[in-house]
Amino acid sequence: MERTFVYGMAVSGNNFTDRVKETKRIISNFENGINTILISPRRMGKTSLINKVCNSIHKPGIVTVRMDVYNCRSEYDFYNTFCSEILKQTSSKIEQALEAIKEFLGRIAPKISISPDMTSEYSLSLGLSPKNISPECILSLPEKIAEKHGYHIIICIDEFQQIGEFPDSLDVQKKLRSIWQHFRNVSFCFYGSKKHMMLKIFQNRRMPFYQFGELITLDMIPTHDWIEYIESRFKENGKSISAEYAEKICNSVDNYSSYVQQLSWNVFVNTEIEVDDAAFNNAMSDMMSQCSALFVQQTEGLTSYQMNFLRAICDGVHSDFTSRNVLEDYNLGSKSNISRIKNALQEKELIECREDGIHIADPMLKLYLKNGLK
Ligand SMILES: Nc1ncnc2c1ncn2[C@@H]1O[C@H](COP(=O)(O)OP(=O)(O)OP(=O)(O)O)[C@@H](O)[C@H]1O
Ligand SMILES: [Mg+2]
């Protein structure tokens, strides 16, 4: 079913707009074997963009493999997902996957379940454990498959920051990097929803994945692209919106992709034929009620220092938190308290460091906090 506006899941087709430049750049990286790391705030469009890129690559000799490692909690959890996705996505038939297992993974006895409707979908459970296979053998699987078939594999790993949460994470990262850096026929694309964790893995000189690939930051979709998109979605679905209201939607949520779609949908359902002030205002209050349960949950455990810090940001303070005025006006405790507060809020992904200082990461949370302060 084609939908008017989509949020909360990766988008494609008519619900995907812009990203022409980024798509081109990442395709070119993929086609030239350059490892890519895609960073952005939450819900900006990383997963959608990589899906689009993978579906657009038709160059012979390139095979893309996508996996999401959000549910992986340990090193071998990850290895199981890693291998089974590679095997499934590089084999057109089960027999081919079984052959590759026999050839490259040795004594492993996989469990296969085929979906009842007998479509080509099947699940592969390899049962890899430290008892039956070494990390080296597992991690070099894609290179061996690529070499055998004479193609290049691009492995796209979504929610890669989960690796930073494993027990012995640093050791695991060292193992991955030490093997993957020698690959000649395989390259990688890493992305994930926790920006702060991703930056820790890729931007810290002491970490194994430092400078592993090209770091691409995904910016907001520009307003003029959004306006065109919003106007056309309204029109195709029998209603109309002026460029001014479409722009107002973007401005209200700082062009934050998922919120632009969510607010557009709210405006759409509050509109009979053509968007007016009443429809827009109702949509904004619907948005706030949809979001506030989450914000209550995100802020209820915060200390009063942390809440005061957020209040300062809402008042327009973005730097110089250790100055006497700010410390006193917002009751932030001592100077040395500031980095603790900042780190804690950053870990929770509630704030974000940008070039011009510290900001509330989520534009709706900013509005929610501002409303609460009135
Ligand atoms: N190119 C796009 N065109 C239109 N809407 C988009 C686009 N990219 C993202 N969106 C909107 O943002 C939402 C989130 O997209 P997506 O899941 O791809 O983002 P993400 O960055 O992977 O999110 P997360 O940080 O949660 O992993 C989509 O449901 C959609 O509403
Ligand atoms: Mg995502």
Side-chain angles (χ1 to χ4, degrees):
M1 181 185 67
E2 180 167 319
R3 299 195 294 165
T4 315
F5 292 102
V6 178
Y7 54 95
M9 58 171 77
V11 287
S12 59
N14 278 345
N15 293 110
F16 186 100
T17 182
D18 185 48
R19 300 292 192 215
V20 177
K21 207 173 78 227
E22 296 91 340
T23 306
K24 230 169 119 185
R25 175 81 199 197
I26 300 173
I27 288 181
S28 146
N29 280 5
F30 281 14
E31 290 184 350
N32 290 286
I34 296 167
N35 295 328
T36 306
I37 296 126
L38 187 60
I39 304 272
S40 85
R42 284 227 65 185
R43 302 231 170 272
M44 201 53 69
K46 299 170 289 289
T47 304
S48 307
L49 176 59
I50 298 301
N51 286 349
K52 171 158 187 203
V53 166
C54 288
N55 292 331
S56 321
I57 290 195
H58 298 300
K59 197 173 166 185
I62 294 190
V63 174
T64 57
V65 170
R66 269 170 281 172
M67 63 186 78
D68 181 328
V69 299
Y70 191 76
N71 290 324
C72 299
R73 293 282 172 264
S74 67
E75 180 182 3
Y76 271 79
D77 241 10
F78 169 72
Y79 293 159
N80 275 292
T81 302
F82 181 76
C83 282
S84 66
E85 289 306 324
I86 290 171
L87 288 163
K88 276 198 307 190
Q89 294 180 49
T90 55
S91 315
S92 49
K93 292 198 221 99
I94 300 181
E95 294 75 23
Q96 219 180 337
L98 290 174
E99 205 177 294
I101 293 171
K102 210 160 120 195
E103 190 171 350
F104 302 123
L105 298 179
R107 294 174 291 124
I108 299 299
K111 286 197 193 84
I112 294 169
S113 29
I114 300 167
S115 63
D117 56 5
M118 294 302 280
T119 57
S120 58
E121 269 298 307
Y122 61 95
S123 79
L124 192 57
S125 166
L126 296 167
L128 307 177
S129 82
K131 290 195 195 110
N132 59 20
I133 193 160
S134 70
E136 291 71 25
C137 188
I138 294 165
L139 289 169
S140 42
L141 175 72
E143 180 73 5
K144 289 177 186 159
I145 293 180
E147 221 163 47
K148 177 175 174 186
H149 295 285
Y151 52 51
H152 191 94
I153 303 180
I154 294 143
I155 301 178
C156 304
I157 307 186
D158 201 350
E159 305 294 358
F160 189 77
Q161 78 279 336
Q162 289 308 118
I163 285 175
E165 312 258 19
F166 293 170
D168 301 323
S169 165
L170 194 59
D171 269 358
V172 178
Q173 289 178 49
K174 281 182 191 158
K175 276 183 221 171
L176 306 189
R177 165 124 202 185
S178 70
I179 294 172
W180 289 351
Q181 70 184 345
H182 299 298
F183 284 180
R184 299 166 57 87
N185 303 296
V186 175
S187 46
F188 292 89
C189 174
F190 302 129
Y191 46 120
S193 59
K194 295 189 181 156
K195 182 179 174 188
H196 179 61
M197 290 288 294
M198 287 292 285
L199 290 175
K200 259 189 178 171
I201 294 175
F202 293 103
Q203 260 193 343
N204 186 333
R205 279 172 186 280
R206 290 191 303 267
M207 297 296 276
F209 275 101
Y210 179 66
Q211 293 204 327
F212 187 72
E214 181 184 311
L215 211 127
I216 296 180
T217 308
L218 197 58
D219 278 330
M220 316 288 175
I221 294 173
T223 305
H224 60 87
D225 284 310
W226 275 127
I227 292 178
E228 208 176 288
Y229 170 79
I230 296 167
E231 282 180 327
S232 77
R233 299 309 296 153
F234 267 76
K235 200 164 165 204
E236 274 165 39
N237 290 281
K239 299 185 188 181
S240 85
I241 183 168
S242 66
E244 288 72 31
Y245 277 113
E247 186 172 354
K248 209 169 161 186
I249 290 178
C250 300
N251 293 342
S252 309
V253 293
D254 297 348
N255 286 35
Y256 204 92
S257 305
S258 164
Y259 284 146
V260 172
Q261 295 248 22
Q262 187 174 357
L263 183 53
S264 299
W265 172 242
N266 277 305
V267 172
F268 186 86
V269 289
N270 275 290
T271 298
E272 282 291 325
I273 302 164
E274 188 174 355
V275 177
D276 57 15
D277 269 352
F280 186 84
N281 294 336
N282 289 338
M284 260 331 260
S285 68
D286 287 353
M287 272 290 273
M288 198 42 93
S289 30
Q290 289 155 15
C291 297
S292 51
L294 174 68
F295 297 152
V296 169
Q297 193 195 341
Q298 282 180 335
T299 51
E300 69 189 351
L302 299 183
T303 65
S304 44
Y305 283 138
Q306 291 166 353
M307 278 309 288
N308 292 346
F309 194 92
L310 295 180
R311 284 198 189 100
I313 302 178
C314 286
D315 280 354
V317 182
H318 300 292
S319 56
D320 296 329
F321 287 88
T322 50
S323 75
R324 183 187 282 260
N325 283 353
V326 177
L327 287 176
E328 281 175 7
D329 287 354
Y330 292 97
N331 186 17
L332 294 172
S334 64
K335 263 188 188 180
S336 61
N337 207 17
I338 296 298
S339 65
R340 229 184 348 253
I341 302 175
K342 224 159 64 180
N343 288 343
L345 292 173
Q346 237 174 357
E347 292 288 334
K348 293 177 197 291
E349 311 264 338
L350 293 177
I351 59 168
E352 197 179 83
C353 290
R354 299 184 193 149
E355 268 169 24
D356 59 343
I358 297 178
H359 290 260
I360 308 272
D362 181 322
M364 284 305 290
L365 175 63
K366 188 171 69 186
L367 278 180
Y368 168 83
L369 291 169
K370 279 188 169 172
N371 286 343
L373 295 175
K374 273 184 200 154

